[in-house]
Amino acid sequence: MWCAIFAGSATAHEFWIDAEAYHVAPGEQIVANLKNGQVFEGTSLSYLPRNFSRFDVIQGSTGRQVQGRMGDRPAFDQAAPGEGLVTIVHETTPSFVNYKEWDKFQKFADHKGFPDMAARHAANGFPPAPFKERYTRHAKALIGVGNGEGADQPLGLKTEFVALTNPYAPEFDGQMRVQVLYLDAPRADAQVEVFDRAPSGEVQVSLYRTDQSGRATIPVQPGHDYLFDAVVLEPILDDDAAVWDTFWAALTFGVPAR
């Protein structure tokens, strides 16, 4: 269900896989950057194995690790396989941020759909600022090769979007149906932030929430690229390094112009 249009600037940096083209012919290069930024604009990151725990390319039942050279940018540049739906998967190693002021953390939590964070923080007995947050990124990109036929599937990421419809299929009806998972279980009432990039480069942002089965249906437009973002915030009770774990799920794809 559509909830709101986001009017202000983002309060946190998203991470996503940004393909130069989301629909390619067999044998053409699939070129994609790892991006960190805001509102579908950001810095392209290099291929650095120390920064990721998983980097795979999957088509149907076949998957393999992405092999690159240290420092490659774009981080993904490979010839497309045969026709079908290709999924690129990337999970980062943990990073940390130190919050010196509570208001900054609360602003982030509010933006990502957790207005009760102050109560949760106190209930866990966590100290006031300063404190640390640990975070990881869990990104997928859908690439259509040729006819783009195929289906996305759960791929065992810590948290992930699973596309229940294929935007490259001839019968696609303009309704992108997704399910949000955390630890392989559906996330009910989870906020989904949608970044819609038009061919002009203009980006519109809107918010949705999943239903009780972790699903959401989001209308999309031909010729536009999309980034879906959803965040999990969990307390850390057995580690002195940080008090909150943040797991970011991202899904990118394009809708072919008909």
Side-chain angles (χ1 to χ4, degrees), residues 44-197:
S44 296
L45 306 179
S46 300
Y47 179 95
L48 295 172
R50 69 175 180 271
N51 289 345
F52 62 82
S53 59
R54 181 178 180 184
F55 197 3
D56 295 338
V57 58
I58 296 162
Q59 187 175 43
S61 60
T62 301
R64 56 183 172 81
Q65 290 184 343
V66 174
Q67 300 296 325
R69 295 181 301 178
M70 185 79 69
D72 275 354
R73 191 171 56 186
F76 188 98
D77 188 350
Q78 298 186 10
E83 292 192 304
L85 182 68
V86 170
T87 304
I88 304 172
V89 175
H90 188 93
E91 293 192 284
T92 69
T93 52
S95 296
F96 295 85
V97 60
N98 186 34
Y99 283 97
K100 297 180 180 180
E101 300 175 357
W102 171 260
D103 287 349
K104 186 174 181 180
F105 184 68
Q106 185 67 63
K107 186 178 180 181
F108 161 70
D110 287 343
H111 175 60
K112 292 304 180 183
F114 301 96
D116 61 343
M117 191 50 62
R120 291 179 63 192
H121 194 86
N124 283 291
F126 293 156
F131 59 87
K132 288 186 178 181
E133 169 209 4
R134 181 173 64 193
Y135 64 91
T136 52
R137 315 295 197 139
H138 311 270
K140 296 169 71 173
L142 305 179
I143 311 294
V145 179
N147 60 30
E149 292 181 355
D152 190 24
Q153 58 189 309
L155 295 173
L157 283 70
K158 185 87 171 185
T159 181
E160 66 179 298
F161 285 93
V162 179
L164 305 177
T165 47
N166 181 348
Y168 310 108
E171 67 274 15
F172 181 63
D173 63 359
Q175 301 294 314
M176 192 65 181
R177 299 168 179 86
V178 295
Q179 186 175 40
V180 182
L181 304 180
Y182 172 56
L183 299 177
D184 299 318
R187 283 191 66 204
D189 195 34
Q191 178 178 290
V192 177
E193 190 167 11
V194 174
F195 300 85
D196 175 343
R197 183 171 62 196

Side-chain angles (χ1 to χ4, degrees), residues 23-38:
H23 192 201
V24 301
E28 284 189 329
Q29 291 296 110
I30 299 175
V31 180
N33 281 288
L34 305 176
K35 285 287 189 73
N36 185 37
Q38 298 174 310

Side-chain angles (χ1 to χ4, degrees), residues 212-226:
Q212 290 304 303
S213 61
R215 300 185 180 201
T217 299
I218 298 164
V220 295
Q221 301 183 63
H224 290 223
D225 297 333
Y226 288 87

